[in-house]
C-alpha cells in the first residue's frame, strides 16, 4: 500500500472514533474542570487500540501466509469490503440515543475496543498484501494511531460545539465504509 492508501485507511478506521467522540462532546457539560484530562485519555485509548488491533490481526494470520498466497488479494478485498459494507449499512440505520458516561475509564476502554474491532480485519489484510515483517507495520500502525487520536479530539470538539447539526448532515460511517471498499477494490485490481 502507498502512503496515501495508508492515510486513507487510517481515516476510514478513525470514523468510528470520530462518531463516538462527537457523541461524547454532545454529552459534555459546561465548566468541567477535568474535561481535558478525560478527553486526552479517551483519545489516547482510541488511538492505541486502533493501532494495536491491526497488529493482533497481522500476528494471528502471518503464520499461515504460505498457504494463502494464491488467495490473499481476494481475502484482503473480502475483509475490507465486508467491514466497509457493514459501516455503509449502519450509516443508514436509525440513530439511537445512547446514555453513557464517556468520562469513566471503563466506558472509554469499552468504547476503544468496540471502535477498533474492524481494525483487526485490517491487520489480516496487511498480512495478505505483502506486509511480512513487523518492521513493515511500524509506519502504518503509527499513522493509524495518530489519525485516530486526532479524529477523537476533533470529534469531541465538533460534538461540543456543532454536534447535532453535524450528525444530521454528515455520516462519518458512510464515508469510512466507502473508503475501505475503495481500498479493497484497488487491492483486488492490482493484486
Amino acid at each position: 500500500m502507498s502512503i496515501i492508501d495508508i492515510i486513507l485507511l487510517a481515516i476510514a478506521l478513525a470514523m468510528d472514533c470520530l462518531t463516538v467522540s462527537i457523541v461524547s462532546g454532545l454529552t459534555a457539560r459546561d465548566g468541567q474542570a477535568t474535561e481535558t484530562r478525560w478527553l486526552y485519555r479517551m483519545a489516547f485509548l482510541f488511538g492505541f487500540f486502533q493501532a494495536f488491533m491491526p497488529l493482533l490481526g497481522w500476528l494471528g494470520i502471518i503464520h499461515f501466509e504460505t498457504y494463502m498466497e494464491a488467495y490473499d488479494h481476494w481475502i484482503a478485498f473480502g475483509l475490507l469490503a465486508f467491514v466497509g459494507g457493514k459501516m455503509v449499512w449502519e450509516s443508514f440505520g436509525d440513530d439511537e440515543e445512547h446514555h453513557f458516561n464517556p468520562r469513566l475509564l471503563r466506558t472509554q476502554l469499552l468504547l476503544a475496543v468496540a471502535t477498533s474491532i474492524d481494525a483487526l480485519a485490517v491487520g489480516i489484510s496487511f498480512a495478505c498484501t505483502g506486509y511480512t515483517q513487523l518492521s513493515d507495520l511500524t509506519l502504518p500502525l503509527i499513522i493509524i494511531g495518530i489519525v485516530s487520536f486526532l479524529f477523537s479530539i476533533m470529534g469531541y470538539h465538533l460534538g461540543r460545539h456543532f454536534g447535532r447539526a453535524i450528525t444530521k448532515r454528515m455520516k462519518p460511517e458512510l464515508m469510512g465504509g466507502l473508503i475501505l471498499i475503495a481500498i479493497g477494490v484497488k487491492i483486488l485490481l492490482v493484486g
Side-chain angles (χ1 to χ4, degrees), residues 51-65 119-120 122-127 131-135 137 141:
F52 182 67
M53 289 300 222
L55 177 62
L56 281 182
W58 179 83
L59 287 171
I61 200 70
I62 196 67
H63 301 293
F64 301 104
E65 181 183 16
L120 191 67
V122 170
I124 294 170
S125 72
F126 279 155
Y131 288 84
T132 58
Q133 302 293 321
L134 187 57
S135 60
L137 288 177
L141 295 180

Side-chain angles (χ1 to χ4, degrees), residues 28-29 31-40 156-157 160:
R29 295 181 186 92
Q32 285 187 310
T34 59
E35 181 178 306
T36 303
R37 188 184 79 209
W38 73 261
L39 167 61
Y40 284 105
Y156 171 81
H157 289 293
R160 182 96 159 108

Side-chain angles (χ1 to χ4, degrees), residues 2-177:
S2 71
I3 190 75
I4 299 297
D5 289 338
I6 293 168
I7 291 170
L8 290 174
L9 178 65
I11 290 170
L13 289 174
M15 287 300 155
D16 284 342
C17 299
L18 178 72
T19 303
V20 171
S21 297
I22 289 171
V23 172
S24 297
L26 282 169
T27 65
R29 295 181 186 92
D30 291 331
Q32 285 187 310
T34 59
E35 181 178 306
T36 303
R37 188 184 79 209
W38 73 261
L39 167 61
Y40 284 105
R41 182 180 65 197
M42 180 180 72
F44 171 79
L45 290 171
F46 282 11
F48 174 79
F49 278 98
Q50 286 289 350
F52 182 67
M53 289 300 222
L55 177 62
L56 281 182
W58 179 83
L59 287 171
I61 200 70
I62 196 67
H63 301 293
F64 301 104
E65 181 183 16
T66 57
Y67 303 111
M68 299 170 50
E69 284 180 14
Y71 307 103
D72 58 1
H73 57 286
W74 284 100
I75 292 169
F77 165 75
L79 288 170
L80 292 170
F82 174 75
V83 172
K86 182 175 170 273
M87 289 174 73
V88 169
W89 178 264
E90 289 173 354
S91 75
F92 291 106
D94 290 335
D95 292 334
E96 298 176 5
E97 282 202 351
H98 298 284
H99 300 287
F100 70 99
N101 184 354
R103 294 160 193 83
L104 299 175
L105 177 60
R106 69 175 180 263
T107 302
Q108 292 176 355
L109 283 169
L110 179 66
L111 292 172
V113 171
T115 58
S116 65
I117 294 296
D118 297 348
L120 191 67
V122 170
I124 294 170
S125 72
F126 279 155
C128 297
T129 56
Y131 288 84
T132 58
Q133 302 293 321
L134 187 57
S135 60
D136 296 339
L137 288 177
T138 304
L139 182 62
L141 295 180
I142 289 171
I143 291 172
I144 289 169
I146 289 172
V147 168
S148 293
F149 176 84
L150 294 174
F151 271 49
S152 298
I153 292 171
M154 179 179 67
Y156 171 81
H157 289 293
L158 288 173
R160 182 96 159 108
H161 299 289
F162 309 105
R164 296 199 193 282
I166 288 173
T167 55
K168 287 180 183 177
R169 293 188 179 132
M170 178 179 83
K171 293 190 176 230
E173 296 92 354
L174 176 62
M175 291 188 315

